Amino acid sequence: MLRQLGMITAVWVPLCLAAYAFGSSYGPLYYSFMAALLLGLLLGLWLIAPLRDYWASLSGRSRAVITILTLATLFGQLVADSGRSFPFPRWDMYTISEAPERAVVHQVIGTTASGREFRVRPGLYIPSLGRSRYRSGIETLSERLRAEPEGAAEARLDLERMLKLLARAYNGRHESDPLTSIGVRRLEIEYRDPETAGHRRAESVYAVRIGGTGP
Amino acid sequence: MKLLNRDAPPEAVTFLRVWVFGLWLVELLIHPLGVLGEIPVSLLDPVGVLRAVPGDAWGPLLQPELLTALWVATLALCLLSVVGLWAKPTLLLTSVLLTVHQGLLRSFSFVNHAELSLLLGAYVLTLFALFGPRPPRRSVGEATTPGAGSAPLVTLAFLIALTYSLVALTRFANGRLDIFLSDSMTYWLVSRSHRGNLLTTAFGHLALTHLWLRPVMKGAFFVTTVVELLAPLALVLRWFRYVFLAFVIAFHVIVALFMNILFIEDLFLLVVFLDYRKTIAPLLARLRRFGDAALSRVRPPAAAAVGVETAGPDERASNLVVLKGRADSQPDT
């Protein structure tokens, strides 16, 4: 078994070097720590006797398939930019402590012909852009616009395009009471101090009239 | 300790193929690509191999008609993969197109993990179909070979367990104890609940007014992370498998209700942590019996009695036995 553990380590070192060369945001020391942790996980898995026995019972081709997929998954875990290593990203959901002063949320607010104001849920009308895909675009453009209110002409146009896209999708389903305006609201919510928790400050980042232009 | 599904029969591969690509069919139907042609190119940040496409080429490529054609092709190939037609080339092409589909969606937003376990499932099935051992043919009446269908099922379960472990390990390494003790969890609950993905406002906002919820969620976060870290043990320890499944299902449901994040594919993929012979196969057999019974009820009685035009060979034989039995029981007159 020692020989096999040695072989795993021998494969692991060049893989780590390749992943580091491919791109890592960690410094060399921390990267080495992470690489050692993952090697520990791999060796730990190897110590599970039924997994080891199963591996021994497999054909060479099956072993090759499992090795490729496992190493690709681990390679992605070592690369900083999941966009580069896609479809083998880093599995790092909620792995960094983050507790800013206020929670910042961007919401899409629509107003219909009858005067009803409500939050539009993009995933409901453009499912392909659900799962925060639409929201992330709106958030990026809104922050660009806030950072440079006068100069970000392109961000303004793009934001308008995104909002109109959603408005069209909504109005396609609600012809009796269509949206007449749609915009982005930026919310800052107090949450840390129990005394002030829930206090919020809303700011309209951008709004567009449907059929017209401008805030 | 015994490895889960080590003795899975060859039918298990068929089941997994239909399950994974069936889920992909639903995914694709919900997520057409044409709409990407209407999104500002300024939001485009290609991922993976899509970065090899020159910047100037994206304009002509991101036409709604072209994207819709790509979507339709992926959908058709996925359907062929479910059916199992031209298995090897179909699976290979489907996996490539699914990667492009998912890559394009992420190129306009960010690399989330929602469908990636399912994509791993497609890769596992494709690679085993292309390079894995050929499952032994079996003649009628021969018992299935134990373990002949185990490799894809075991590999996918292993990889999914590995991803859970990776998340937990990275959380402990990067976030250390601070991630569980600080206000991070409250921040996520409050911010995610107001995003309005699934519910207009998810229950996470209750953490603002019901302060007892904060330590409860922090504690649950820690315990869930420990269970995630130990996920590979679910492959070999039966009691831990139940603990893991209970925790992971509860975790996904709570995250959906409180944080507006639904990993529905991951929930469906937990099927690989079930014992194929003891749980899935009997369930499939029961479904088949139910389907057969429903079909026989639908079939016109005259045709069923004649049993020639509508019945299959096995059924025809059994009908003949019944007719023969009836003839035998007729008294000689």
Side-chain angles (χ1 to χ4, degrees):
Chain A
M1 193 163 81
L2 273 176
R3 195 173 139 260
Q4 290 161 333
L5 291 177
M7 274 174 66
I8 292 174
T9 313
V11 173
W12 186 243
V13 173
L15 183 91
C16 292
L17 292 173
Y20 192 74
F22 196 69
S24 171
S25 61
Y26 297 136
L29 201 64
Y30 197 71
Y31 183 83
S32 307
F33 167 66
M34 281 304 293
L37 269 186
L38 293 184
L39 177 65
L41 177 69
L42 206 57
L43 296 180
L45 290 172
W46 190 252
L47 292 178
I48 301 174
L51 282 179
R52 212 170 50 239
D53 295 346
Y54 183 68
W55 174 265
S57 74
L58 290 171
S59 68
R61 289 155 71 108
S62 294
R63 285 186 202 180
V65 169
I66 296 172
T67 305
I68 289 167
L69 289 168
T70 306
L71 291 184
T73 305
L74 292 171
F75 179 86
Q77 194 67 16
L78 287 166
V79 175
D81 179 6
S82 289
R84 281 196 88 185
S85 60
F86 176 85
F88 296 100
R90 191 151 68 165
W91 294 82
D92 59 353
M93 298 91 102
Y94 300 95
T95 52
I96 295 171
S97 178
E98 48 178 342
E101 273 304 305
R102 292 172 201 88
V104 175
V105 186
H106 290 81
Q107 298 176 335
V108 182
I109 306 295
T111 310
T112 64
S114 65
R116 189 168 67 97
E117 191 181 285
F118 68 106
R119 274 168 59 189
V120 188
R121 286 157 59 194
L124 217 57
Y125 303 100
I126 315 174
S128 299
L129 300 181
R131 297 205 137 135
S132 291
R133 286 181 183 128
Y134 184 91
R135 183 197 50 78
S136 80
I138 288 286
E139 215 170 274
T140 307
L141 295 169
S142 298
E143 290 305 315
R144 271 184 211 164
L145 200 61
R146 281 188 86 242
E148 209 180 342
E150 300 305 316
E154 194 192 354
R156 191 182 303 271
L157 278 175
D158 287 346
L159 193 55
E160 194 170 310
R161 199 169 153 190
M162 288 288 278
L163 291 169
K164 283 184 171 174
L165 177 69
L166 180 57
R168 266 205 313 278
Y170 178 90
N171 289 348
R173 286 208 218 163
H174 299 87
E175 286 173 3
S176 58
D177 190 19
L179 288 175
T180 51
S181 84
I182 188 166
V184 183
R185 179 169 71 185
R186 187 178 186 273
L187 265 185
E188 283 187 15
I189 308 167
E190 301 273 354
Y191 70 95
R192 290 176 77 168
D193 183 359
E195 292 291 314
T196 54
H199 289 191
R200 55 190 69 194
R201 194 164 68 86
E203 172 195 344
S204 173
V205 178
Y206 193 75
V208 61
R209 277 190 209 95
I210 305 305
T213 318
Chain B
M1 288 202 292
K2 184 178 172 259
L3 182 64
L4 173 71
N5 285 323
R6 189 192 166 120
D7 57 353
E11 296 86 70
V13 184
T14 311
F15 163 75
L16 190 64
R17 195 193 68 229
V18 172
W19 188 258
V20 166
F21 289 101
L23 286 172
W24 269 121
L25 261 183
V26 178
E27 278 285 339
L28 288 169
L29 285 170
I30 296 172
H31 300 130
L33 281 181
V35 70
L36 296 185
E38 298 181 57
I39 296 180
V41 185
S42 71
L43 288 176
L44 177 76
D45 179 14
V47 299
V49 287
L50 297 178
R51 289 191 178 177
V53 177
D56 301 342
W58 280 108
L61 283 176
L62 291 173
Q63 299 303 317
E65 299 79 16
L66 208 59
L67 290 164
T68 303
L70 178 70
W71 175 71
V72 170
T74 316
L75 206 58
L77 279 164
C78 225
L79 192 64
L80 290 180
S81 297
V82 170
V83 177
L85 212 58
W86 309 305
K88 287 182 184 180
T90 303
L91 286 174
L92 180 62
L93 269 175
T94 310
S95 289
V96 170
L97 289 190
L98 284 175
T99 308
V100 174
H101 178 273
Q102 291 299 304
L104 280 172
L105 287 176
R106 283 165 179 77
S107 295
F108 280 98
S109 50
F110 59 100
V111 179
N112 67 337
H113 298 79
E115 302 94 344
L116 294 183
S117 297
L118 197 56
L119 198 57
L120 267 180
Y123 294 160
V124 166
L125 286 159
T126 304
L127 287 175
F128 272 106
L130 291 173
F131 305 114
R134 187 184 289 267
R137 284 171 185 249
R138 93 192 146 90
S139 52
V140 179
E142 190 187 329
T144 55
T145 318
S150 66
L153 207 56
V154 171
T155 305
L156 184 56
F158 170 76
L159 289 172
I160 290 173
L162 181 65
T163 60
Y164 278 109
S165 272
L166 291 176
V167 173
L169 198 70
T170 311
R171 192 173 292 149
F172 279 128
N174 285 352
R176 292 180 284 274
L177 275 182
D178 188 48
I179 200 167
F180 305 105
L181 298 175
S182 69
D183 287 326
S184 297
M185 191 67 214
T186 312
Y187 166 67
W188 292 325
L189 283 168
V190 172
S191 59
R192 272 50 170 181
S193 65
H194 282 84
R195 282 181 176 173
N197 295 348
L198 286 171
L199 308 164
T200 309
T201 307
F203 297 113
H205 78 280
L206 293 176
L208 290 170
T209 47
H210 297 68
L211 298 181
W212 57 267
L213 199 60
R214 299 182 181 194
V216 168
M217 291 305 250
K218 282 180 191 176
F221 186 43
F222 178 77
V223 176
T224 307
T225 305
V226 172
V227 173
E228 282 182 312
L229 183 67
L230 301 175
L233 290 179
L235 299 172
V236 291
L237 291 174
R238 192 159 62 159
W239 68 266
F240 183 73
R241 186 151 61 243
Y242 297 140
V243 171
F244 172 74
L245 285 173
F247 261 90
V248 170
I249 291 169
F251 156 73
H252 282 303
V253 171
I254 288 170
V255 164
L257 291 177
F258 279 78
M259 291 170 69
N260 257 328
I261 303 166
L262 180 60
F263 286 98
I264 190 91
E265 300 83 357
D266 287 10
L267 275 174
F268 279 112
L269 275 180
L270 289 177
V271 78
V272 296
F273 289 97
L274 299 177
D275 191 320
Y276 182 84
R277 279 188 182 276
K278 288 183 182 160
T279 314
I280 301 170
L283 207 68
L284 291 175
R286 194 175 294 178
L287 276 174
R288 213 169 287 136
R289 277 200 301 275
F290 179 76
D292 287 347
L295 270 178
S296 65
R297 249 178 266 132
V298 169
R299 192 179 296 139
V306 174
V308 178
E309 293 301 320
T310 53
D314 294 344
E315 210 173 334
R316 248 176 268 158
S318 66
N319 282 340
L320 283 173
V321 172
V322 171
L323 289 172
K324 188 170 177 287
R326 276 184 195 159
D328 289 346
S329 65
Q330 293 293 321
D332 290 330
T333 47

